[in-house]
Each structure stands twice: as structure tokens, then as C-alpha cells.
Amino acid sequence: MKTREVNFDGLVGLTHHYAGLSFGNEASTRHQFRVSNPKLAAKQGLLKMKALADAGFAQGVIPPQERPNIPLLRQLGFSGTDAQIVERVAKQEPQLLSAVSSASSMWVANAATVCPSADSLDGKVHFTVANLNNKFHRASEAPTTENLLRAIFRNRDCFSVHSALPQVAMFGDEGAANHNRLGGAYGDPSVQLFVYGREEAKAGLVPARYPARQTLEASQAVARLNQVKPELLVYAQQNPTVIDQGVFHNDVIAVSNRQVLFAHEQAFLHQQALYAQLRDKVPGFTPIEVPADKVSVADAVGTYLFNSQLLSRDDGSMTLVLPEESRQHEGVWRYLNEMLGADNPVSELKVFDLRESMANGGGPACLRLRVVLNETEQKALNPAVMMNDTLFITLNNWVDRWYRDQLTQADLADPQLLREGREALDELTRILDLGSVYPFQQ
Ligand SMILES: NCCC[C@H](NC(=O)CCC(=O)O)C(=O)O
């Protein structure tokens, strides 16, 4: 076993639905109140995990969260039995029930920011849970995310999990979706590129229409908590004009792997200065920059070609894992095939149908958290979460037994959904050997 990147994918939860909760994420707004299919969503995700595991990539799974979030409704003044609370909130505030029922924890690129041991001062793998402060329905993910990460990365000699930053806009943090690691072999210390949307302390350029979710102050705090070696740190501001076109996270417009940065030419505010810095710090730095006259920002947002996974194969070549939407678009697909023929490490495209997640603004990269682990660390994590033939079958059967094949906002009022969810998750914690991680289990 060598040092590898292990991808952990979020398993879609039982309450996956389209609530239009994420202002600035145009897919979320566009698909509000559309009928969802939680069963299909979970299976599309499982198929991606299984296909990548079969292709030789290390693949784990992170379970969904308890929804609806009854403790949060109690905090907001609803009282009575759990079933009465669901009934009351459904009647009085249906949009609030939607928010506390969101399955948004599936997008684990926003679960935490990870620092591999090669990059940290104390030689441990660090995780800082993201506070997701910009969206109410997402901010509540943090405490359970912390429990889940502790249950998966449970060896304290190897792993250090930090709680989320304070829940204020000044420290708005969206996790690994705004973080890139660039370097040579996975086990070599590598540059950590923290991308932010605004700086709280300075009246600099900011988007005019949509929120900048991540602050520089948050990125700096995460870098401190994760003990990133100072010489490896690079900060860059996202281009505010692309945030205004629907690029709510940097991973909607850029993806990195080892020495390669695949990005749109308008991704960053001072892109050439950033490249100069990276050229200086990253041996063999290879930008693959996509010009706007080949792929517009609108097409990048529409097809999610940058929300792809760039994965290294054993021979050093790379596979780009894309959503079906990027194959459906003639111009984008042509560009991707040109890229295959050009002089760069990308030599394979793999396409997945992730339509259910995509309709809420989550592509292949949103669904995964990258964790670079050396041999000792791979052995130290909870082995029950690693994808293989048996786990794939077990989870598919579990989904078949518990998930509905259609769900609307009105269905959330059914207290049976709450009961089903808890029973299903209780069983899942046994399958994945997690112990008690959910509020209903404490
Ligand atoms: N990394 C992808 C995250 C997508 C996520 N969408 C949502 O939460 C949409 C939920 C809804 O509208 O039902 C977000 O915007 O943070």
C-alpha cells in the first residue's frame, strides 16, 4: 500500500427533495418543488462509488444525516411529541420543514477541509468541519458531520477532527469545495490553495448579486486549525463576476489533482498572478485553462464540467469523472475530447448519470471528500465504510427497503417519514460500524 487519495462519497438521504433553498445556486432555484426520487438519487451515487472502486480507486462512503432535524425545530420553539412537531411545522411553516429536512449533507465536499499528514506540522491528518454558515439548511449539518468523521477517522494517533468555526458570516466556511491541493506524489508535502469569495476586513471586490459564501478569515482559521505548514499556503480570491453567474463554490469552476489545475480562464480574480505563484511552488505545475470562447461560464455552470473528479491512475495518467450533462452539451463535449488529445496527463473520460443530485447543484466533485492517506492511516480508519462488492449489495438492498421513489415538499409532513428515517439510519450505523452518531441515538 502506498500513499493514496481516498474518495469518500456522501450517501444521499431518504428526504432528498427540491426545496429551492440555495440562493446563488441556480440549479437549486430552478428546480424548486420538482418531484424528487430519493431512491434513484441514492442508487446513482452508489453506482458512481462502485464503478470507481472497481476501476481501482480507493472509495469510501459517508452516511446521510437524521432528517427532519427535530432538535433544531425544538430550538426554534416547536414543542410536543416529535410527530406533533412535524405536523405543526408542516402546517405553519412548510418552507422551514423543507429546510430542516434537506438531504444536503450528501455534498460532502462541503463537510470539511482536509490536511494530509505530509502537509501538517504535527504529522497528523486534520479535518476542520465546515460551518456552512451562509445557508440555514446547511449550517445545521456541522455537529453530526463532526460525529461521523470521528466515527470514520477514529484513531486519535493518526487523525485530528476539529469542530466547525464560529457560526457567523465573518467565518463563513464551505469546506473542501473551496480548497485545492497541488504537488507531486500524494505523499509529498503539497501546496494548499485556499479559495475565498470575500474578505470581511476589507472593502474589496465582491459579487453584486449572489453571496460569497467563503471568507478569507475563515480560510486562514482553517489553515491554522489544520496545522498546514506555512510555506505550503496559498490564498486566492474567486472571481466575483463568476459567483454572480452561479459559481457558488470554486469547485464549480476549477478542479486540481497533483500537478494539474483544470480551470476556466475566469475562475480566479488575479489568475495570472496565482499561476506565477503556483509555478514557483509546485514542481511541474500544469494549468489546463479553458478559454471563455470555447466554454462560456454559463455553459460551465450548466454542464458542471469542472465539477469533475480528476483521479490519478497508477501509470501517472489521469481520469476525469464527469456528469452526463457535460456529454449532452455539444460544445463542452467537443472541448473535452480535444483536451484528451492534447499534451496533458488527462487520458480518460468517465461519465455518470447523477441527475438527481445535479438538479440541486451537486455534481461528481460535490459528492466526494478527498482524503490523502498513507499506509498506516489507511489501516487506521474504520474499514466498514470502504466500498466493495459486499457493501455495494448491502447498501443497495438497504436503499431498496427504506427509500421512496418520489418525494415532494408536501410529503415531508408525513410523520412516518421521520420514523422510517430513524429506523433506516439506526440500521445503517450498524452496517457501517459507526456507533451512536445521530441525535436520536443519544
Ligand atoms: N457542493 C454542492 C452543494 C449544493 C447545495 N445545494 C443545496 O443545498 C440545494 C438544496 C435545495 O434547494 O433543496 C448547496 O447549494 O450548498
Side-chain angles (χ1 to χ4, degrees), residues 95-108:
Q95 195 59 12
L96 181 59
L97 178 58
S98 239
V100 302
S101 301
S102 178
S104 55
S105 70
M106 71 171 92
W107 300 296
V108 292

Side-chain angles (χ1 to χ4, degrees), residues 107-335:
W107 300 296
V108 292
N110 311 115
T113 307
V114 184
C115 175
S117 53
D119 304 353
S120 71
L121 291 167
D122 66 354
K124 288 190 186 187
V125 183
H126 289 260
F127 302 80
T128 296
V129 174
N131 63 15
L132 297 169
N133 178 262
N134 193 258
K135 300 281 177 260
F136 168 68
H137 72 289
R138 300 220 60 186
S140 58
E141 293 170 29
T144 299
T145 297
E146 185 176 337
N147 291 346
L148 290 169
L149 292 178
R150 288 186 193 283
I152 294 170
F153 303 100
R154 53 191 175 190
N155 180 322
R156 287 177 172 222
D157 295 333
C158 294
F159 306 117
S160 184
V161 178
H162 309 283
S163 304
L165 301 180
Q167 281 290 8
V168 286
M170 174 179 177
F171 289 114
D173 172 27
E174 300 281 317
N178 290 327
H179 180 255
N180 285 290
R181 184 170 186 259
L182 288 138
Y186 288 125
D188 295 345
S190 301
V191 164
Q192 293 201 17
L193 169 61
F194 284 80
V195 185
Y196 61 94
R198 68 185 181 91
E199 186 177 346
E200 174 94 2
K202 223 170 66 185
L205 278 176
V206 289
R209 208 172 150 216
Y210 289 149
R213 297 194 196 184
Q214 178 99 26
T215 64
L216 173 61
E217 287 82 354
S219 300
Q220 288 166 332
V222 171
R224 277 191 296 271
L225 284 163
N226 281 356
Q227 298 202 30
V228 184
K229 292 174 185 161
E231 69 274 17
L232 299 175
L233 280 169
V234 174
Y235 296 96
Q237 187 175 348
Q238 237 194 303
N239 183 348
T241 62
V242 300
I243 295 181
D244 276 340
Q245 292 170 77
V247 182
F248 55 96
H249 289 140
N250 180 245
D251 71 0
V252 175
I253 199 131
V255 60
S256 65
N257 181 47
R258 296 175 64 170
Q259 79 280 21
V260 176
L261 178 64
F262 174 45
H264 192 272
E265 69 172 352
Q266 292 167 6
F268 303 96
L269 188 57
H270 302 296
Q271 197 139 325
Q272 293 314 315
L274 172 64
Y275 286 174
Q277 241 182 315
L278 294 175
R279 228 170 256 127
D280 203 41
K281 284 177 172 267
V282 179
F285 175 59
T286 310
I288 305 178
E289 189 179 85
V290 184
D293 60 13
K294 293 249 162 139
V295 177
S296 67
V297 173
D299 286 344
V301 173
T303 64
Y304 262 38
L305 82 150
F306 297 103
N307 198 261
S308 48
Q309 293 175 253
L310 194 49
L311 302 173
S312 280
R313 293 198 305 229
D314 288 340
D315 64 0
S317 67
M318 297 186 192
T319 297
L320 193 67
V321 174
L322 294 150
E324 179 61 39
E325 285 73 359
S326 52
R327 178 159 59 190
Q328 296 304 325
H329 188 286
E330 208 185 305
V332 166
W333 190 242
R334 188 180 329 114
Y335 173 80

Side-chain angles (χ1 to χ4, degrees), residues 403-437:
Y403 281 58
R404 302 186 180 190
D405 58 13
Q406 61 172 60
L407 204 67
T408 62
Q409 192 180 56
D411 297 322
L412 302 173
D414 179 2
Q416 182 59 27
L417 189 64
L418 170 80
R419 283 192 289 272
E420 282 166 15
R422 287 180 177 172
E423 281 177 52
L425 291 185
D426 210 33
E427 197 179 306
L428 186 62
T429 51
R430 288 193 295 276
I431 295 171
L432 299 177
D433 190 20
L434 297 170
S436 297
V437 283

